[in-house]
Structure formats: C-alpha cells, structure tokens
Amino acid sequence: ISITDFGGVGDGQTLNTLAFRTAIYRIGHMRKRGGTLLYIPTGVWLTGSFNLTSHMTLYLAKDAVIKATQDTTNWPLIDPLPSYGRGRELPGGRYMSFIHGDGLRDVIITGQNGTIDGQGEVWWNMWRQRSLQFTRPNLVELVNSNGIIISNVVFKNSPFWNIHPVYCSDVVIRHVTILAPPDSPNTDGIDPDSSFNVCIEDCYIATGDDLVAVKSGWDEYGIAYGRPSSGITIRRLSGSTPFAGIAIGSETSGGVENVLAENVSLFNTGVGIHVKTNIGRGGFIRNITVQDVRMDNVRKGIKIAGDVGDHPDNNFNPNALPIVDGVMLRNLWGVNIQQPGVMQGLKNSPFTQICLSNVNFGGGAVWKCADISGAALGVEPSPCPELTSTHG
C-alpha cells in the first residue's frame, strides 16, 4: 500500500501525520500473511511522530524524504525506560521518538536510499537554551522488539540519538548513512541498548556524538532491570565525530559482553575506541574485541576509563563498582594521533586483561595508565608498564 492511498501529500508543506498513522493502523489490522509494505514515493512527506506495527516494511523510494515536523508543542510524551528510571536528559518522561515501536516482530525499514530527516535543529536549540521540559526524542527507537532490519536509508539531523534498539533481539542495521553536524548535541549514530544479537555493518556515520555506543541501563535502574547487551557485531564502519568512533558505555549497568568490532575507519575524530563506565554503574564489561581499525587525525586513540558519565539521581550506590575484564585491541593503525591513549581503572576495581596487540600510533606521545593490568605485544609508542610486555 502507498501513503498516497491514505491522503498523503508529498509537497513538503502538508502535514501527513494522520495519513501515516491511519496507514499503519490498517496494516496492523490486515494481518496479511507475509506482512505488508508501506510505500513512500518520491517527495517530501512532512509528518509528526508515528508508531510502527509488526510484520511491516516501511519502504522509501529514491528521493523520498520523511521529514519531522518542527512543531514540538504537540509531540507525544512516553514513560521513561525502566533501565533508566527517568528521561536521559531530564527527570520524568520523554518525548516519543520520531519513528517508534514497542513489542514488535518482523519490522523492516528500507528502500532506495531515501531519507528520514529529524529536522533536529529546533530541539538542539532548546537544549542549548536550556528550555527543554523533557528528554529529546530519538529519530528511531524500537523497544522490546525482535526481527528488525534497517537498511539502505539515510538518517539525518536527529533531535537526539539516531537509532536506538532497546530490549531488542535479532537486529540487523546495514548500508545506512547517518548524518548530523559535528556540533549537534548527543546525536549518537547507533546505540544498541540491553539488546541481544545485533549486527551493524557497512555504515557511514558522521554525527555530533559517538558513532556506535553499546549501552545497558543507567546506575541503580539498570542494575535492577539487569538486562545485558551481548552478541553485538560491528564491522565495516567508517565516519567521523568530535567524540568516539566505537564506544562501550557509559551506561552499562546491565552488563555488556561479547562485542566484536572490526574493519573500522575513523577520521577527524575525538577518541577512536572508548570504553567508559563510572562508580555507581555496577554491571560488567567483558569479552570486548576491537580489531583492524585505521585512524587518521584522531585526538586520542584509545580511552578506557572508570570516571565517565553522570548519574540519574543521588540514589546510586557508590559501592556498585563496575567490572571491566577482557578487552582485546589488535591491529590498530593511526596517523596524526595526538595521544595514543589513556587507560584509567578504578582503585577498588582495577580493570583486568586489557590486551593490546599490533598497535601503531606513531612515536612521540606517551600512554597514561593506572589501576589496570594486561599485556602488550608490538605496541608503538611503547606501552605503559602496567601492560606486561610479551615477546614473540
């Protein structure tokens, strides 16, 4: 079915919220075996936020643009995520993502490289002016869902995080382009959050925050919810950001394990690889492998830190110390790297099995390390003494 069947007008002026919601309601009640495809033809389709339904494909034709309205006054509010306890930016609820779904199965967002444009500048300005009442909306958020494919679409100018699968499983995100200005606040590219079996591949991301950030809940709320992120594969990713290329955290209270990132190309980036957590987070970060990464003009090649990120409130447990154990970084190569890296564990919970192999960031600057242990082989400049040098 086409959005035009429901009165949709792709002139960039007509508001199509009712057309989108009616079309998806119809799909939800068709119950067609094999699902239904909602076709978005070439044109600019202005709309407010809308919910997807199970067994559907949202298909954007070539040069089709689904564009978010900049009228924020009637934007729907939803409850905070239980593993966060409140909105990520402000107490209370949060604005619903532009394209949203909860409890879905078998959902595809794809097409001929059409665009989903969040027109986020109005939201960024509210953040800068501190006039937000609630946490900004993501561009796409799918909650408690499985069997998700997102491919061959351009995402741009998200109000907040771009693509946020949370409490999801069996998610594939491939051949997507994600764009936002480098000064746009908190426009993370892809944030798998308390999710299982996620594959992110063949993507180009250039945003104002982490390109990919693996998360699993925030302090006491994430600890109580107790749902880890695991089985995350990231490969053939390229892009740039003032923040991190590949990030784990900082919200990792449900635990993060079994993550593989490989064949990554980063340029004009703040931190190449950033593993970040904090006192009060609890949880664990273990069995993380990052390999075959090229960096050009990166401020800091590697950062592993136990003092990053804020807290939802003052009820976090200062004795809830994270465990970081088993981070393998190998075959990393960089030019124009200002500092090779900083690895700072926690005094009462040192980070263990931090292993670097075949890492070349050029000469000159030195590593900074404390409260970590592990091994290093073939690292230039010379690794810090906390990493036992091994030979051959």
Side-chain angles (χ1 to χ4, degrees):
I1 60 176
S2 171
I3 194 66
T4 58
D5 300 338
F6 298 86
V9 179
D11 60 1
Q13 306 293 321
T14 304
L15 192 64
N16 293 288
T17 311
L18 183 61
F20 275 95
R21 292 179 181 175
T22 303
I24 293 166
Y25 178 86
R26 179 73 59 86
I27 291 171
H29 289 75
M30 277 178 159
R31 294 192 169 86
K32 282 187 75 172
R33 197 172 172 191
T36 303
L37 182 147
L38 176 58
Y39 183 76
I40 312 301
T42 299
V44 179
W45 306 86
L46 186 69
T47 176
S49 60
F50 57 90
N51 281 283
L52 301 177
T53 190
S54 291
H55 312 300
M56 76 167 284
T57 296
L58 179 65
Y59 189 97
L60 285 77
K62 186 175 184 293
D63 298 325
V65 180
I66 301 176
K67 186 172 279 194
T69 176
Q70 291 192 299
D71 178 7
T72 64
T73 55
N74 296 312
W75 207 280
L77 282 171
I78 57 174
D79 290 336
L81 292 164
S83 60
Y84 283 76
R86 47 159 274 191
R88 185 58 188 82
E89 298 186 283
L90 292 162
R94 58 210 182 97
Y95 293 106
M96 188 177 97
S97 60
F98 178 49
I99 298 176
H100 196 261
D102 194 341
L104 306 185
R105 294 184 62 191
D106 176 27
V107 173
I108 300 173
I109 301 173
T110 191
Q112 298 170 289
N113 292 311
T115 299
I116 296 173
D117 183 352
Q119 293 212 95
E121 189 167 6
V122 62
W123 297 98
W124 308 335
N125 287 335
M126 284 194 288
W127 179 85
R128 291 170 180 136
Q129 294 156 10
R130 299 188 177 178
S131 60
L132 280 167
Q133 292 182 288
F134 300 97
T135 296
R136 287 172 283 157
N138 302 308
L139 195 53
V140 176
E141 181 178 78
L142 298 171
V143 187
N144 293 313
S145 300
N146 66 75
I148 308 298
I149 300 175
I150 300 175
S151 70
N152 299 92
V153 175
V154 177
F155 298 86
K156 64 185 286 190
N157 296 333
S158 175
F160 193 53
W161 301 345
N162 275 268
I163 301 175
H164 187 214
V166 56
Y167 320 142
C168 289
S169 61
D170 303 328
V171 178
V172 176
I173 302 169
R174 62 195 304 258
H175 294 298
V176 304
T177 300
I178 303 176
L179 304 172
D183 64 344
S184 56
N186 310 103
T187 50
D188 295 30
I190 304 169
D191 287 1
D193 198 340
S194 292
S195 291
F196 173 68
N197 278 3
V198 179
C199 179
I200 298 164
E201 60 185 10
D202 300 296
C203 295
Y204 176 82
I205 307 175
T207 59
D209 211 321
D210 298 343
L211 304 187
V212 175
V214 182
K215 301 177 181 290
S216 67
W218 201 12
D219 285 11
E220 69 269 25
Y221 303 104
I223 294 169
Y225 198 72
R227 182 158 176 175
S229 276
S230 66
I232 314 286
T233 300
I234 303 153
R235 58 191 173 207
R236 299 184 300 276
L237 171 78
S238 62
S240 66
T241 170
F243 288 86
I246 302 292
I248 309 294
S250 70
E251 306 88 342
T252 55
S253 300
V256 175
E257 64 185 350
N258 304 335
V259 177
L260 169 64
E262 61 183 358
N263 297 313
V264 176
S265 179
L266 303 171
F267 60 95
N268 302 341
T269 290
V271 179
I273 299 147
H274 196 179
V275 177
K276 47 184 172 173
T277 184
N278 209 340
I279 289 169
R281 289 286 192 267
F284 54 81
I285 298 171
R286 61 190 180 213
N287 194 22
I288 310 296
T289 301
V290 182
Q291 61 189 20
D292 302 320
V293 180
R294 297 172 68 91
M295 305 182 197
D296 187 354
N297 191 29
V298 171
R299 194 176 71 249
K300 194 175 271 112
I302 298 165
K303 185 175 181 183
I304 301 175
D307 61 350
V308 175
D310 55 350
H311 302 285
D313 49 43
N314 292 323
N315 297 323
F316 70 92
N317 178 3
N319 296 315
L321 300 178
I323 294 168
V324 178
D325 178 59
V327 178
M328 166 62 80
L329 306 170
R330 63 186 171 212
N331 301 338
L332 312 184
W333 178 86
V335 294
N336 304 315
I337 309 295
Q338 289 182 30
Q339 185 187 26
V342 172
M343 292 182 271
Q344 175 78 53
L346 293 168
K347 186 174 183 180
N348 294 323
S349 184
F351 297 172
T352 52
Q353 295 194 83
I354 310 298
C355 299
L356 275 58
S357 172
N358 191 24
V359 175
N360 190 330
F361 289 150
V366 297
W367 298 82
K368 294 182 180 177
C369 303
D371 298 312
I372 66 160
S373 63
L377 171 64
V379 176
E380 183 68 33
S382 296
C384 43
E386 287 85 352
L387 300 182
T388 307
S389 290
T390 56
H391 301 280

